[in-house]
Structures are given as C-alpha cells and as structure tokens.
C-alpha cells in the first residue's frame, strides 16, 4: 500500500489526532510546507514507512494517514498560535454553515416550484436542509482534512488551471461537501479519492506520473465508483447522473453495487497532457 | 508597493533590518518569518515608540503571508513568542519597568490590530486583562510610567475589551477606584490620569466636551 500525501504544516500537524504514518512520503515534494512549517524548496525525500494496520484493524488505506500519530492535544492547544488558529477555523466553519443553509433553502424552494410546474415526482426527498451535518467536532475535523488537501501545490495548480465553470463532475476533483451527512468511512474515503485525483496536478518530478497510476492500481480503485461529491446542481435534474440524488440521507456508498464506474487512469491521462 | 520606513516607524532599526522587514512585507515567503517575528518583538521591548505602533506592521505581514500562500507561520511564531514574554512578565517587570511597559503596550497593540475575521483574538483577552490588572495594583500605581501605560491602553482598546469581557473590566475598575481613593503616595499626575480614565469609561469610552476641556485644554494653549 502506498502512502498518501501526509504531513502538512507543522501547525496543523499538532492538532492531528488520527492515526497515521510518520516520516516523509513520496509526495512530500508536492507539499507546500515542510515539517518545520517553512515553505519547501525542492527536496529529495525518502519514502516513508508503510503503516499496514491501524490499531482497530482497519486497513491502512482506510483513513487519511495524516499527521504523526496520536498527539496529546491538551498541552498543544495552550499555545496562543494554536488557539487563534482553531478559533479562526471554528468561525470559518460557522460562517460556511450559514452560507450553506441559505444556499440550500434557496435551492429547495426552487426545486419544489419546478416539481409542481412540471408535474414530476422527484426520485428522492429533497429536504436536504434536514440532513445537514451540524456537529462542530465533525465539521472541524472534516475542515482540517480538507485544508490538508488544499495546502498542496497540486491544489494550487489545479485551481489555477481549471476554473470552476469548466469543471466537469467526475472528471475534475471536487472538494467533498462537509455539510452532508456521511458515515465516517464514507467521508474518509471521499477525501482520499479527492486527493488521489488532485495528484494529477502534482508538479513534475523525475519519476513522472507513473507513480500516481501505480498507486491507483495498488489501491484497486481503477474501477472506481465515481461518487458525485458535489452539492446537487438542481439545474441538471438527475437524468444523466443517477447516483447523486440518492446520496442524501447519509447512505454508506460501500454497501451496494457501484452505480457509476469510471476508470481513474483515463481521467488522469488527459490531465498529464496539461503539464508543461 | 512602497512602504516608507516612517509609516511603520522602523527608522530606529538598522538598515539591514529595515530591508528585511520591507521584504517581509512584499514577499513573505522569501524570508525567515520566525526571525522576522523575533526581531519585531525584540525591538518592541526596547523601543517604546515602536511598541505603540508595531501592531500595524505585524498585521500587514500576517495579511501578506495569508494572501501569498495561505500561510500563518509569522502569526504563529509572533503569538508564541509573545506568549513566552507574557509568561515571564513578572521577572521582566522586576528588572526593567521600561521593558514591562513596552511589553504591555505591544501586547495591547497586537490585540488592537491583529483581528481574526474582524474580531479580536480570543486567546489574547485574558492576557491583556491580566496585564492591565497588574498595572492597577498598588505597587504599580506608584509609578507614573505604569499608570500612564495603563490609561493609554484603556483609551485605545478599553471599549473593545469591555465588549468581549465585561466582568473583568468591572474588576479592573474596582481596583482603579480603590487606587484613586485610597492609595497613599500617588503623584498628582497619577491621580489626574486615574480620574480622567474613570470619567472616560463612565461616559461610555468617550470624554464629554467639558471634561475634555478640563483635562486637555492646557495642551491646546
């Protein structure tokens, strides 16, 4: 099993309490910051240790293996730098939640109006407003995971190269929606897949992109179920995208047959061509 | 973007350091931000004039780093260094009143400028109060420098402080009233400063026109 992007700014590492491998990874050249928090220049890094099994017997690939393992949070949080950062994150999360609620309520009203006028019955309950994740601890954890993914050169390059209006669902990575109800498993897997996709925008290395493809195959996700990760676009009513409308309600994706299959390599290959 | 040395009051620093700071403002990722934060804290503790406005340059560097690469290395190392100095404030006060006064001024200035989403940093509220309450102790009231520092900070950030924690402001003002009324050996300047701040707060952090005339008209003449 390969190690996914690990490590992050030292600041956020201190707050990480999930199990994870320690040491540099093959992706460390893609991270903007080194372990000491300073921005990286190009550096050679050794591949880190593999961590095969978590204490609760989950497979290593199952959680986002970030951070250096359990760290006592009590002492760390006492420093002003960390306190200010976590306050800031809490505020950001709350603000995001207000915005999200407004978006949903607005969209729900529109969809109900459409249903009435078109006479169709929706395939799924559209009251997403009742299924928002509101647990602060969960939201903060998810936000941290998202931040780790965004704090990469790959993400920077991606957002510069592919403006939002061009992005195609399924082809381009989309940040998982932290406000949706998902099981922990499902969420962690979404994050992992999102980061895998982002690797396509890693800065070029001597080894080239073969490693990305190798890792994808190793994980056995070449026939990956492409999860519709975004907030359902109510303009495109689900005819062409059968999966996402049933993602509401916190179902665990891995309990059933894959609904939509897409080879990850084919999405990665075209992206390689975008490299200079 | 040209920032003159004067704007950030860094003229008192040597040329190399000024260059470093100017670079930090324009291109934060190209400098050692931990070193920059140490320089700024050190200078603030030595230079009273600098400590009164150092918050501005700090804020600008924080913003610059955030805009450039979403980083907060500078903010983090600044705050943690500040925390260290805060922890050893009693020793600092014991060996140099000047440095202690500079420290309080600097912490309050940082509180004033370094806002997070336009809100004061919660982590600093209690430390600021701790410093101001220390300045309101009987032994401190005997020193004009400390009283002067105290009232300056209350003028600048008193209103904000009260909003984020009213009870502690009440606690502080109990001490100030007691000090004003009961403290023997206060200089008349110290008493004047205390009376003014009591009126200032009582007026909702604003001095009435007549009170202003009373306290400040001599300067105008």
């Amino acid at each position: 099993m390969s190690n996914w992007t690990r490590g992050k700014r030292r600041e956020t590492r201190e707050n990480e309490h999930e199990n994870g491998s320690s040491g540099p990874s093959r992706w460390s050249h893609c991270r903007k910051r080194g372990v000491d928090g300073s921005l990286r220049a190009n550096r050679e890094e050794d591949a880190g240790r593999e961590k095969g099994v978590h204490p609760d017997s989950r497979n290593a690939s199952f959680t986002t293996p970030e951070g250096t393992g359990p760290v006592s949070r009590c002492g760390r949080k006492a420093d002003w730098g960390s306190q200010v950062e976590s306050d800031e994150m809490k505020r950001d999360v709350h603000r995001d939640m207000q915005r999200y609620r407004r978006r949903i309520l607005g969209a729900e009203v529109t969809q109900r109006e459409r249903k009435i006028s078109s006479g169709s019955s929706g395939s799924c309950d559209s009251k997403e407003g009742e299924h928002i994740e509101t647990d602060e601890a969960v939201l903060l954890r998810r936000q941290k995971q998202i931040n780790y993914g965004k704090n990469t050169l790959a993400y920077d390059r991606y957002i510069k190269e592919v403006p939002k209006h061009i992005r195609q669902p399924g082809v381009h990575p989309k940040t998982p929606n932290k406000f949706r109800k998902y099981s922990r498993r499902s969420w962690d897997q979404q994050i992992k897949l999102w980061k895998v996709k982002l690797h396509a925008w890693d800065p070029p290395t001597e080894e080239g992109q073969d490693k990305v493809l190798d890792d994808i195959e190793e994980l056995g996700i070449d026939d990956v179920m492409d999860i519709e990760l975004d907030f359902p676009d109510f303009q495109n009513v689900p005819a062409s995208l059968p999966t996402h409308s049933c993602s509401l309600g916190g179902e665990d994706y891995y309990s059933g047959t894959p609904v939509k299959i897409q080879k990850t390599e084919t999405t990665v290959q075209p992206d390689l061509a975008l490299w200079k | 973007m040209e920032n003159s040395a004067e704007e950030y009051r860094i003229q008192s620093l040597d040329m190399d350091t000024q260059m470093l700071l100017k670079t930090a403002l324009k291109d934060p990722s190209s400098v050692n931000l931990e070193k920059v934060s140490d320089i700024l804290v050190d200078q603030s503790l030595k230079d009273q004039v600098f400590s009164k406005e150092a918050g501005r340059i700090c804020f600008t560097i924080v913003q610059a780093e955030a805009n450039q690469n979403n980083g907060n290395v500078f903010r983090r190392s600044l705050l943690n260094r500040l925390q260290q100095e805060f922890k050893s404030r009693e020793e600092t006060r014991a060996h140099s009143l000047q440095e202690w006064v500079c420290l309080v001024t600097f912490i309050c200035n940082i509180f004033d400028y370094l806002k997070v989403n336009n809100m004061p940093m919660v982590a600093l509220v209690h430390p600021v109060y701790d410093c101001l309450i220390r300045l309101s102790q009987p032994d401190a009231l005997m020193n004009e420098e400390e009283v002067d520092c105290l009232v300056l900070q209350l003028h600048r950030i008193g209103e904000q402080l009260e909003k984020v924690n009213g009870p502690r402001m009440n606690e502080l003002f109990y001490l100030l009233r007691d000090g004003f009324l009961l403290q023997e050996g206060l200089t008349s300047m110290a008493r004047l400063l205390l009376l003014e701040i009591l009126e200032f707060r009582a007026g909702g952090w604003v001095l009435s026109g007549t009170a202003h005339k009373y306290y400040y008209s001599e300067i105008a003449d």
Side-chain angles (χ1 to χ4, degrees):
Chain A
M1 285 297 167
S2 65
N3 293 306
W4 301 107
T5 303
R6 282 169 307 187
K8 50 204 58 71
R9 294 173 293 167
R10 179 190 54 174
E11 306 93 280
T12 48
R13 179 180 63 139
E14 290 165 357
N15 296 328
E16 181 55 53
H17 62 287
E18 289 163 326
N19 288 328
S21 325
S22 58
S25 73
R26 71 179 65 168
W27 307 117
S28 51
H29 70 280
C30 304
R31 272 174 281 123
K32 295 199 303 199
R33 296 174 192 285
V35 158
D36 63 354
S38 54
L39 282 176
R40 276 174 191 270
N42 288 331
R43 274 184 10 211
E44 290 287 309
E45 298 275 10
D46 296 328
R49 290 192 332 259
E50 305 270 344
K51 198 166 188 177
V53 172
H54 292 278
D56 61 351
S57 304
R58 284 173 295 160
N59 191 288
S61 66
F62 218 70
T63 33
T64 332
E66 279 141 8
T68 54
V71 170
S72 156
R73 299 176 77 191
C74 304
R76 282 303 180 188
K77 288 276 183 176
D79 73 275
W80 291 359
S82 303
Q83 280 183 48
V84 170
E85 274 175 36
S86 56
D87 282 345
E88 193 175 32
M89 204 187 313
K90 276 187 195 154
R91 289 215 192 116
D92 286 346
V93 164
H94 282 286
R95 185 199 55 206
D96 285 353
M97 186 159 18
Q98 316 284 23
R99 287 184 188 159
Y100 186 69
R101 279 213 163 99
R102 270 180 257 134
R103 264 174 79 196
I104 294 184
L105 293 175
E108 277 177 3
V109 167
T110 322
Q111 203 206 26
R112 241 172 272 136
E113 286 168 357
R114 279 219 196 87
K115 275 192 195 167
I116 291 167
S117 61
S118 70
S120 66
S121 53
S123 55
C124 208
D125 194 320
S126 65
K127 284 192 222 122
E128 182 160 335
E130 291 166 17
H131 298 290
I132 295 180
E133 180 61 69
T134 53
D135 183 324
E136 189 186 71
V138 172
L139 289 172
L140 288 174
R141 174 173 43 81
R142 291 181 176 183
Q143 185 63 60
K144 270 180 212 161
Q145 289 172 292
I146 290 171
N147 290 346
Y148 298 156
K150 289 189 173 180
N151 180 35
T152 55
L153 291 171
Y155 185 78
D156 274 356
R157 295 173 90 236
Y158 169 56
I159 56 177
K160 280 176 193 146
E161 253 172 45
V162 188
K164 274 191 180 171
H165 62 272
I166 293 180
R167 293 184 201 164
Q168 304 161 43
V171 172
H172 292 118
K174 188 143 191 167
T175 310
N177 181 344
K178 64 180 175 274
F179 292 113
R180 293 249 208 111
K181 289 275 194 191
Y182 296 115
S183 67
R184 176 73 186 262
R185 259 179 68 161
S186 168
W187 173 264
D188 287 348
Q189 197 71 1
Q190 288 179 53
I191 287 282
K192 195 187 303 292
L193 290 170
W194 171 60
K195 286 175 159 184
V196 167
K197 285 187 167 180
L198 283 174
H199 276 309
W201 279 268
D202 279 340
T205 64
E206 295 153 17
E207 299 137 352
Q209 278 309 286
D210 302 336
K211 284 213 165 165
V212 180
L213 303 180
D214 288 345
D215 293 331
I216 291 165
E217 284 175 24
E218 276 178 56
L219 258 197
I221 57 169
D222 2 4
D223 295 327
V224 80
M225 176 172 66
D226 199 57
I227 302 162
E228 187 56 52
L229 295 176
D230 60 338
F231 176 70
D233 184 350
F234 285 96
Q235 268 90 46
N236 302 334
V237 175
S240 52
L241 298 165
T243 54
H244 72 280
S245 52
C246 294
S247 65
L248 308 170
E251 289 171 312
D252 186 337
Y253 285 100
Y254 294 92
S255 57
T257 345
V259 182
K260 184 171 173 184
I261 292 174
Q262 183 173 30
K263 282 198 179 290
T264 315
E265 290 107 337
T266 56
T267 56
V268 171
Q269 293 279 1
D271 301 327
L272 295 179
L274 293 172
W275 285 17
K276 287 150 196 110
Chain B
M1 181 173 73
E2 281 301 309
N3 292 308
S4 67
E6 268 172 44
E7 193 183 344
Y8 293 109
R9 315 279 176 92
I10 61 175
Q11 317 94 298
S12 49
L13 295 159
D14 65 69
M15 285 317 292
D16 285 343
T17 311
Q18 287 192 40
M19 266 324 295
L20 177 64
L21 294 178
K22 287 182 184 172
T23 314
L25 289 164
K26 280 184 229 158
D27 187 11
S29 60
S30 68
V31 299
N32 181 341
L33 291 170
E34 277 184 33
K35 184 172 171 208
V36 171
S37 72
D38 274 336
I39 288 174
L40 289 170
V41 175
D42 288 337
Q43 188 64 19
S44 304
L45 295 178
K46 286 189 293 201
D47 179 345
Q48 211 158 4
V49 171
F50 188 70
S51 67
K52 287 181 183 170
E53 287 298 333
R56 273 188 73 210
I57 190 176
C58 291
F59 177 68
T60 313
I61 297 177
V62 169
Q63 293 288 85
E65 197 194 343
N67 290 336
Q68 190 177 48
N69 55 32
N70 239 337
N72 55 13
V73 170
F74 177 74
R75 185 176 74 179
R76 168 170 277 268
S77 75
L78 175 70
L79 288 173
N80 291 343
R81 173 73 202 278
L82 214 53
Q83 186 175 18
Q84 278 175 39
E85 297 294 336
F86 172 75
K87 279 191 183 142
S88 55
R89 62 195 182 280
E90 209 48 56
E91 292 103 88
T92 302
R93 181 175 183 274
H95 86 64
S96 166
L97 264 189
Q98 246 263 50
E99 209 177 306
W100 156 241
V101 161
C102 285
L103 175 61
V104 178
T105 309
F106 184 54
I107 291 183
C108 292
N109 203 233
I110 292 290
F111 176 81
D112 198 8
Y113 277 100
L114 248 63
K115 299 278 191 342
V116 171
N117 295 330
N118 290 325
M119 298 282 295
M121 286 194 274
V122 172
L124 292 186
V125 174
H126 279 300
V128 166
Y129 270 117
D130 288 344
C131 290
L132 298 183
I133 285 176
R134 179 64 183 89
L135 289 173
S136 318
Q137 303 298 328
D139 62 343
L141 293 177
M142 298 302 286
N143 302 317
E144 253 174 54
E145 284 176 280
E146 292 187 80
V147 181
D148 189 68
C149 175
L150 171 65
V151 302
L152 174 65
Q153 309 316 324
L154 285 172
H155 274 113
R156 288 172 148 198
I157 61 173
E159 193 172 7
Q160 294 179 53
L161 275 176
E162 191 177 43
K163 266 196 202 120
V164 294
N165 190 327
R168 283 208 89 185
M169 189 55 79
N170 294 336
E171 179 194 344
L172 174 58
F173 270 77
Y174 265 79
L175 291 170
L176 295 184
R177 289 186 195 102
D178 279 352
F180 177 78
L181 286 169
L182 309 170
Q183 184 74 34
E184 284 183 20
L186 281 188
T187 66
S188 51
M189 178 51 107
R191 278 181 277 135
L192 182 69
L193 293 173
L194 289 176
L195 187 62
E196 195 266 2
I197 201 71
L198 288 165
E199 276 203 65
F200 183 70
R201 189 217 182 184
W205 304 100
V206 138
L207 217 48
S208 72
T210 45
H212 194 275
K213 243 184 246 169
Y214 177 86
Y215 291 104
Y216 296 101
S217 63
E218 280 190 334
I219 302 167
D221 296 342

